[in-house]
Amino acid sequence: MTPSGVDRGGDGARFAELRAAAVALLAAMAAGSLLIILAGASPLEVWRTLVARTFGDAYGAGQVVFRATPLVLTGLAVAVPLRAGLFNIGAEGQMIAAAMCCAVVGAALPAATPALLALPVAMAAAAVAGGAVGAATGALRAYRGAHEVIVAILLNAIIAGVALWLGNQWLFVGEATRTASVVEGARFAELGITGSSASSSVVVALVAAAAVGWLQTRSTIGFRWRMIGGGPDAALAAGISVARDRVSAMAAAGALAGLAGAHFVLGHKHAFEEGLGRGVGFLGVAVALLAQGRAAAIVVSAVLFAALSQGGLGVAELVPKELVDVLQAVVVLVAAATLGRTTSVGGGAR
Amino acid sequence: MMDAVAAVVAFVAALATVTFVEMVVRITVPYLLAALGGAITERAGLVDLALEAKLLFGAFTAAAIAHDTGSIALAIAGAAVAGAAVGAVQALWAIRLGADQIVTGVALNLAAYGLTRYLLQVMYGQGSNSPRIDGIGAKVWSSPLTWLALVLTAVAIVMIARTRLGLRVRAVGERPDATAAAGVSVAGTRLAAVLVGSAIAGVGGAQLSLVVNGFVAEMSSGRGYVALAAVIMGGWRPAWVALVCLGFGAAEAVQVRMQSAGTGLPPELVRLLPYLLALVLLATLRGRGRAPAALGRGA
C-alpha cells in the first residue's frame, strides 16, 4: 500500500491522476444529468447555464475567485497532514475559531492602524487560533491515541457552539448575530471585478499554496512528514519524533484553515457572523483529495469546486441548487475509486 | 449555597420519572443502532465513517415511504434497505475498487446531505422538511422501533461473539490472509458484514424521522460521528458499545431537560454536553479496546 499522497513521481503516476480527475468529472456530469432529468429539467440547458454563470462573465468569474480563495486554504489544511498520514476533517472548526479571534483582534485595533500593521496582526490572530485547535487535535492523536477524525468532528461541533455562546454573551452587537466591524486598516482590498466579492486575500491563498509546495518538496520538516506518512515505525526508527511532527503538521493545517477564516472576516464580512464560511472546511477535503494533496493542483481543484458552488446559484431557477452538493460528492467518490489502489490516506485506521 | 444544592437535588429528583426514562430510550435508539451497525462493519475490517449517510438516507426513506403508504413496517424496512444501499457502495468501493475508506465515507456523507435536500425539493417542492407523516410520534413502549432496537442489540451481541458468521467477521477483520488460507471468502464475508451493519444503521435513521413525524434536512446532525466515537469507546464490542450509547442518550436527555428547566446555564453550552462527554472519554479512556488489526487496510 502506498500511503498518503506520497509523490510517486513519474509521468505515469501524473497521467493516472489526471485521468482520474477527468473520469470523476465525467461521472459527476452523468450522475448530475440523471438528477436533472429527475427534476424535470434539461441537462443541456443546466450545464450551459452553469458555465455561462461562472466563466461566462466577469462577475461570475470574480465570484469563482472569491469562492476559490478559502477553498485553496482549507484544501491545503487537509493536504499538509495527509502527507503525514493524518486526516484533517477539522478545518471547519479551526476556521470558525480563527474567524472569531480574527474579528475580535481586528475590531480591537486602534481605528487609525495602518493596513501594513493591521492586516498582518489580524491574520496572525487567525493563524494562531486555528493553529492551536489543529495542534490540540494532533496532540490528542499523537499522545492520547484518540482518533483524529472523531476528535475533529466533535471539536467542530463544540467550537461552533462555543463561538455562538461567546457571541451571544459578549460579542454580538445589536440584534444581529454579528460582531463589531474590524477597523478599516484590517480589510483586504476588493479586486473590483464588477461587483464580485473577490478581494486581495486571493494573494494570501496563492502565497500559502506556494509556501506549502516548497515545504512539501524542499524542506526537512516536509521530508519528515512524508516519512511519517510512509510508515510511522520506520520514521521512528530513523530518529524522527513522530508525535511532535504529527502535532506540527496539524498545527500548520489549523493555521492554514485559520487564514480561510481571515478571508471571510477581513475580505468579505469585515466581522464574525454566525454561520460564516459554513461547509468550506468540509469542501477542503474534496479539494485536497482531487488534487492528490499537491499544492499547485489544489489551486486548480479549488477553482473547479468554487465554479460548481457558484454555478449552483446560477442554475437555481432550473433545478434545486443542492444539485452541486451531490456533484461535488460524486467527484470525490469517483476520484477515490479511480485512484483506488494507487493511493490511500494511509494509517486510516489509526 | 443551600439554595444551589437544593436546586441540584430537585433537578436530579425530577429526572427520575417515567417520561425521562422514555426520553432516554427515544434518544438512544438512533445512536444505538448506528453504533451497532458500525461495530459490525468495523469488526470486518472496514472503517465506517458513512454512518451519518446511513442515518440520513434511512430517515429520508422511512419518511417518504410512511408518507406514501402509511405503513410503519414498510417504512422501517425501507430504511434498512436504504442503509444497506449506502453500505453496498461502501463495500464496492473498499473491496472491489480499493478506494480509501475514510475518503469514501466522508464523500458518502456529503452526498447524503446534498441528495436528501435535492430529493425534498424534487418530491415535495420543499427545501428543508418533508410533509407531515403519520409516524410513531412520542410513543416509546408501543413503538415497534424500541423493541426492534432491543432485539437487534441482542442479535448483534450474539452474532459477533457466538455465531459462525461472527467468527468469520472477526477473522477477516483481524487476519484476512489467514482467513483466506482457511478457505473463507474475505470479500464475501466483508460484504455480508457491511450490508447487515448498514441495514441496522439505516433502521436507526427511521427512528429519527418517525418519532418527529417527518423528515428534516440534515436531521442526523452529527449522530453518525458520535456513534462511531461510541464504537471506538466501546472497544468494538457490541455490549460495551450499547452501554456507551445509553450513556450518550442519557447525556443528551439531561441536556434537553436542563434547557427546559432553565438552570441558568447557557443553552449554547448545555447543548454541547454529549460532544464534550465523547471528547473527554476519547481522550481519557485510552486502551479500553483494540481496533481490528486489518481496519482500513482495504481488500
Side-chain angles (χ1 to χ4, degrees):
Chain A
M1 180 172 81
T2 321
S4 68
V6 170
D7 224 325
R8 282 163 305 282
D11 289 341
R14 211 49 74 83
F15 175 74
E17 287 166 17
L18 273 178
R19 195 190 54 187
V23 170
L25 273 183
L26 286 176
M29 282 188 71
S33 298
L34 282 178
L35 287 173
I36 293 166
I37 292 168
L38 194 67
S42 146
L44 210 61
E45 197 186 350
V46 170
W47 298 127
R48 203 169 42 216
T49 314
L50 198 144
V51 174
R53 293 286 167 83
T54 48
F55 299 110
D57 57 44
Y59 169 76
Q63 284 299 95
V64 171
V65 171
F66 164 68
R67 286 171 183 275
T69 303
L71 287 180
V72 169
L73 292 164
T74 53
L76 294 171
V78 176
V80 168
L82 200 60
R83 289 265 163 137
L86 294 177
F87 196 76
N88 179 24
I89 199 165
E92 198 84 10
Q94 292 150 11
M95 186 176 72
I96 297 300
M100 182 136 238
C101 200
C102 178
V104 169
V105 170
L109 290 169
T113 317
L116 217 56
L117 185 64
L119 264 181
V121 167
M123 277 165 58
V128 167
V133 175
T137 312
L140 280 173
R141 162 69 194 257
Y143 297 108
R144 305 295 310 170
H147 198 305
E148 81 274 10
V149 172
I150 300 292
V151 168
I153 293 279
L154 296 173
L155 276 177
N156 284 347
I158 291 168
I159 289 168
V162 170
L164 187 61
W165 171 65
L166 287 174
N168 283 335
Q169 201 74 14
W170 292 291
L171 300 173
F172 291 155
V173 286
E175 292 298 295
T177 51
R178 184 180 193 282
T179 61
S181 294
V182 298
V183 298
E184 285 291 336
R187 296 180 187 183
F188 286 116
E190 293 208 350
L191 294 183
I193 306 176
T194 54
S196 79
S197 308
S199 74
S200 56
S201 67
V202 68
V203 177
V204 175
L206 292 176
V207 168
V212 168
W214 181 83
L215 269 181
Q216 284 181 338
T217 53
R218 299 267 180 275
S219 75
T220 49
I221 181 88
F223 176 69
R224 294 206 299 269
W225 286 338
R226 235 174 24 240
M227 269 199 82
I228 295 170
D233 296 338
L236 203 59
I240 289 173
S241 166
V242 172
R244 199 189 57 208
D245 282 335
R246 277 187 161 157
V247 174
S248 73
M250 285 299 289
L256 287 162
L259 290 177
H263 156 83
F264 286 107
V265 173
L266 309 177
H268 185 47
K269 301 285 188 186
H270 300 148
F272 176 86
E273 278 183 26
E274 160 69 357
L276 160 148
R278 183 170 289 157
V280 166
F282 277 113
L283 214 48
V285 174
V287 168
L289 293 171
L290 191 66
Q292 284 294 290
R294 256 195 283 281
I298 282 174
V299 176
V300 180
S301 174
V303 169
L304 174 76
F305 279 95
L308 277 177
S309 299
Q310 179 63 23
L313 299 179
V315 298
E317 64 243 40
L318 301 170
V319 284
K321 67 178 187 323
E322 285 79 11
L323 176 71
V324 297
D325 299 340
V326 184
L327 293 184
Q328 287 166 342
V330 172
V331 168
V332 180
L333 265 182
V334 178
T338 325
L339 291 164
R341 296 175 203 287
T342 67
T343 186
S344 154
V345 171
R350 55 172 44 225
Chain B
M1 184 62 202
M2 286 312 289
D3 283 356
V5 173
V8 170
V9 170
F11 179 74
V12 172
L15 287 181
T17 61
V18 175
T19 46
F20 180 75
V21 172
E22 287 180 345
M23 183 155 55
V24 172
V25 172
R26 202 160 48 228
I27 293 172
T28 301
V29 168
Y31 285 125
L32 178 66
L33 292 177
L36 285 175
I40 294 172
T41 302
E42 293 227 328
R43 280 307 277 266
L46 274 81
V47 177
D48 202 354
L49 263 175
L51 287 175
E52 189 79 357
K54 294 167 194 175
L55 282 176
L56 205 53
F57 277 126
F60 182 84
T61 309
I65 291 179
H67 179 258
D68 281 358
T69 68
S71 160
I72 300 292
L74 281 178
I76 295 171
V81 172
V86 176
V89 175
Q90 216 180 352
L92 179 67
W93 253 243
I95 299 168
R96 285 299 296 268
L97 303 170
D100 187 273
Q101 296 170 14
I102 292 185
V103 174
T104 308
V106 172
L108 282 171
N109 294 343
L110 288 176
Y113 282 124
L115 195 55
T116 48
R117 273 182 178 276
Y118 188 81
L119 290 175
L120 273 181
Q121 289 276 6
V122 172
M123 288 166 65
Y124 308 113
Q126 293 165 210
S128 60
N129 52 271
S130 73
R132 210 191 123 79
I133 55 167
D134 285 326
I136 292 172
K139 285 184 296 192
V140 170
W141 310 120
S142 57
S143 158
L145 275 169
T146 305
W147 302 107
L148 189 59
L150 211 59
V151 170
L152 287 173
T153 307
V155 167
I157 293 171
V158 173
M159 191 202 98
I160 289 288
R162 300 260 176 250
T163 66
R164 179 191 290 264
L165 176 64
L167 178 64
R168 287 179 174 181
V169 167
R170 283 181 283 140
V172 297
E174 297 290 341
R175 290 289 302 277
D177 45 352
T179 320
V184 173
S185 160
V186 174
T189 308
R190 284 188 165 158
L191 178 65
V194 174
L195 290 180
V196 170
S198 305
I200 293 176
V203 173
Q207 168 84 357
L208 290 176
S209 58
L210 293 181
V211 295
V212 296
N213 296 328
F215 178 83
V216 183
E218 300 180 18
M219 72 189 311
S220 52
S221 57
R223 285 185 180 82
Y225 295 108
V226 175
L228 185 58
V231 173
I232 295 169
M233 282 176 235
W236 288 267
R237 284 165 299 185
W240 286 100
V241 169
L243 272 180
V244 173
C245 288
L246 192 62
F248 280 136
E252 196 175 316
V254 166
Q255 174 262 113
V256 172
R257 197 41 76 82
M258 277 168 88
Q259 289 203 34
S260 57
T263 47
L265 289 168
E268 300 94 336
L269 296 186
V270 170
R271 209 177 301 141
L272 301 177
L273 201 61
Y275 297 103
L276 286 168
L277 185 71
L279 191 64
V280 170
L281 288 177
L282 265 183
T284 53
L285 280 187
R286 182 183 201 183
R288 246 275 38 135
R290 192 180 54 79
L295 188 62
R297 290 280 163 76

